[in-house]
Amino acid sequence: ESDASEVEGPTVPVYACQRRTALPNWNQILTDALEILAEEAEFGNSEGRSLAFARAAPVLRSIPYAVTRFEDLNSLPCFGAHSRKIVQEITEDGSSVEVQRVLHSERYRTLKVFSGIFGVGKKTADRWYQEGLRTLDDLRKKEKKLNRQQEAGLQHYTDLNSPVTRLEADKIQHVVQDAVLRFLPGAIITLTGGFQRGKQSGHDVDFLITHPTEGKEMGLLIKVVSWLSSQGLLLYHHMKQNSYKEPTQMSVQASKDRLDHFESCFSIFKLDTPNEQMESSSTAAENIRNWKALRVDLVVTPFSQYPFALLGWTGSKHFERELRRFAVHERKMILNSHALYDTKQNVMLPAHSEEDIFAHLGLDYILPTERNA
Ligand code: GTP
Ligand code: MN
Ligand code: MN
């Protein structure tokens, strides 16, 4: 009989796409800390440093127990000296000096607020910080030149930074479904992103739209968006044309292309919230707003690309990044949200389902609810 302490659990694979990462997260305090440092490094343009933290945190998300001792890390991959030190500090002292320093730094806090505005990326947030701006009011007062998207983002900042609930996502789904089926009966509307992974809340609602007869989806989105707009359901939107050219071969560059080429619409919906606040005080009842602004992404895909789009939009972001990295480095294949290409045989690999894509990659199928890396 061996001693219990010598019994090793199953080893944790290196790539996140080889792991099953279900909710909940047993190590949230540790993953929060590592993710703060990853984000801080990203704000500082230290990509390598950021990736190191960003790869360590998901390992802790994937294990079904809480790490309570620094030694627990010995059997885990992706932990460099710096990440280990953070875990050691937190398990031994309850918190990390470095993480606390970041959290209290004016720069981190400001960039966090600015990059939380829809339409503001890390570069813009940093530029504003360098210019001496610190708060949303600074942006409003200075009459800073904002583009239309940032303008809307600033206007609806509070709503867009409060979590979208599953119930709200379902309501939006009904609205979208109704609008799409009005113009294209037989269309398939799928809720993707975090909600597809079983999350109970998210920062937006993501939809994929397709039709089993390839080609029928063309011209659909503009009709849907015009109709939604005419109903007063959109507070903001911008559309992107389909710019995909079916390649005969793909380069590694294609897998680094973070953006896809589907016809899509990035929008802010106006969701009615009737009755919910009726019971609250009778004073100034007319001031109580009965709607909420919500971020919604609509993406239209030809049916033959649908499995790739579904895999690409279900996330998580880290899971996606790891799938592509695994494909290139372990299989010499190029994966994006449109296609999978085998560079050894020089062929495109078609798929009818997500399962087909995992099979092409020689990976065990991972359920959407297990992709919360
Ligand atoms: P929450 O919205 O915060 O709940 O998380 P989420 O996982 O749904 O994130 P998000 O809505 O940002 O993105 C959903 C998935 O779609 C992620 O895996 C992203 O990597 C992917 N995604 C987001 N934008 C794009 C894009 O423009 N192109 C492609 N191909 N994928 C995208
Ligand atoms: Mn989302
Ligand atoms: Mn989204």
Side-chain angles (χ1 to χ4, degrees):
E1 303 274 306
S2 67
D3 180 55
S5 66
E6 286 169 17
V7 176
E8 297 235 344
T11 53
V12 177
V14 171
Y15 290 91
C17 56
Q18 299 170 298
R19 309 193 286 252
R20 298 178 194 281
T21 308
L23 302 164
N25 173 6
W26 291 87
N27 294 284
Q28 181 141 13
I29 291 171
L30 295 173
T31 58
D32 282 353
L34 293 167
E35 278 158 7
I36 286 160
L37 295 181
E39 192 174 30
E40 146 84 359
E42 227 187 324
F43 285 152
N45 274 323
S46 314
E47 205 189 330
R49 224 172 93 89
S50 174
L51 263 178
F53 291 125
R55 279 188 192 142
V59 169
L60 296 182
R61 280 179 188 281
S62 75
I63 55 175
Y65 58 90
V67 165
T68 53
R69 303 171 316 155
F70 168 61
E71 295 75 35
D72 293 345
L73 294 181
N74 289 341
S75 59
L76 300 177
C78 310
F79 267 84
H82 201 157
S83 295
R84 300 175 75 87
K85 182 178 149 267
I86 301 301
V87 170
Q88 181 166 22
E89 273 188 296
I90 295 174
T91 52
E92 289 174 6
D93 310 333
S95 75
S96 153
V97 176
E98 187 176 353
V99 173
Q100 290 307 312
R101 185 164 11 91
V102 169
L103 279 177
H104 289 107
S105 83
E106 190 175 25
R107 182 181 143 86
Y108 177 82
R109 291 160 65 131
T110 306
L111 293 191
K112 200 70 187 142
V113 171
F114 287 167
S115 63
I117 303 170
F118 175 48
V120 178
K122 299 198 162 63
K123 275 201 190 116
T124 304
D126 193 36
R127 197 176 67 241
W128 290 347
Y129 179 79
Q130 305 292 340
E131 289 171 12
L133 301 169
R134 292 293 179 269
T135 65
L136 297 179
D137 271 343
D138 289 346
L139 290 176
R140 294 190 178 108
K141 276 197 303 250
K142 272 231 165 180
E143 275 150 33
K144 191 104 206 91
K145 259 259 165 277
L146 301 179
N147 63 35
R148 201 171 62 88
Q149 183 181 15
Q150 296 163 344
E151 206 61 79
L154 188 57
Q155 190 180 346
H156 301 293
Y157 186 84
T158 310
D159 275 7
L160 299 188
N161 280 280
S162 72
V164 178
T165 64
R166 176 76 212 202
L167 190 68
E168 289 167 338
D170 291 341
K171 284 184 186 165
I172 295 282
Q173 181 158 22
H174 279 114
V175 173
V176 170
Q177 215 137 18
D178 177 62
V180 170
L181 294 178
R182 197 172 278 268
F183 298 103
L184 185 60
I188 301 165
I189 299 103
T190 313
L191 182 60
T192 61
F195 290 109
Q196 172 84 337
R197 302 197 306 275
K199 280 175 59 180
Q200 287 304 307
S201 70
H203 99 284
D204 71 353
V205 197
D206 307 286
F207 292 101
L208 278 185
I209 301 164
T210 190
H211 190 283
T213 307
E214 186 130 342
K216 286 232 178 194
E217 79 288 349
M218 282 160 68
L220 170 65
L221 196 57
I222 182 78
K223 293 180 203 158
V224 168
V225 170
S226 301
W227 186 82
L228 289 169
S229 187
S230 74
Q231 300 299 300
L233 294 168
L234 297 184
L235 295 164
Y236 168 89
H237 73 274
H238 74 263
M239 295 195 46
K240 224 183 60 187
Q241 303 268 323
N242 183 316
S243 59
Y244 189 64
K245 307 243 186 320
E246 213 156 306
T248 47
Q249 61 177 50
M250 282 162 76
S251 66
V252 172
Q253 193 50 41
S255 80
K256 298 204 170 128
D257 192 358
R258 293 287 304 138
L259 296 178
D260 58 41
H261 301 271
F262 293 116
E263 185 175 17
S264 47
C265 178
F266 303 90
S267 67
I268 302 176
F269 268 54
K270 183 175 179 179
L271 180 68
D272 286 328
T273 53
N275 302 328
E276 274 164 33
Q277 288 140 333
M278 288 274 280
E279 257 61 62
S280 66
S281 76
S282 55
T283 59
E286 62 271 26
N287 286 340
I288 295 169
R289 195 151 55 90
N290 59 353
W291 58 271
K292 180 186 175 185
L294 276 168
R295 274 273 300 114
V296 176
D297 291 335
L298 303 174
V299 178
V300 174
T301 127
F303 198 62
S304 60
Q305 295 168 32
Y306 177 70
F308 299 100
L310 188 57
L311 182 57
W313 277 83
T314 297
S316 67
K317 277 197 181 76
H318 185 65
F319 191 89
E320 301 303 326
R321 196 161 53 204
E322 291 281 277
L323 266 176
R324 293 173 188 210
R325 195 167 69 97
F326 178 88
V328 168
H329 293 287
E330 306 300 323
R331 300 290 186 258
K332 307 279 177 262
M333 290 181 186
I334 318 274
L335 174 69
N336 63 21
S337 292
H338 298 273
L340 177 64
Y341 181 75
D342 183 333
T343 67
K344 286 195 294 196
Q345 302 178 64
N346 290 316
V347 289
M348 307 295 294
L349 301 172
H352 297 288
S353 64
E354 289 185 319
E355 282 90 336
D356 286 351
I357 305 171
F358 282 92
H360 282 316
L361 290 168
L363 284 170
D364 285 346
Y365 178 66
I366 309 284
L367 287 167
T369 50
E370 300 169 331
R371 297 181 203 161
N372 287 290

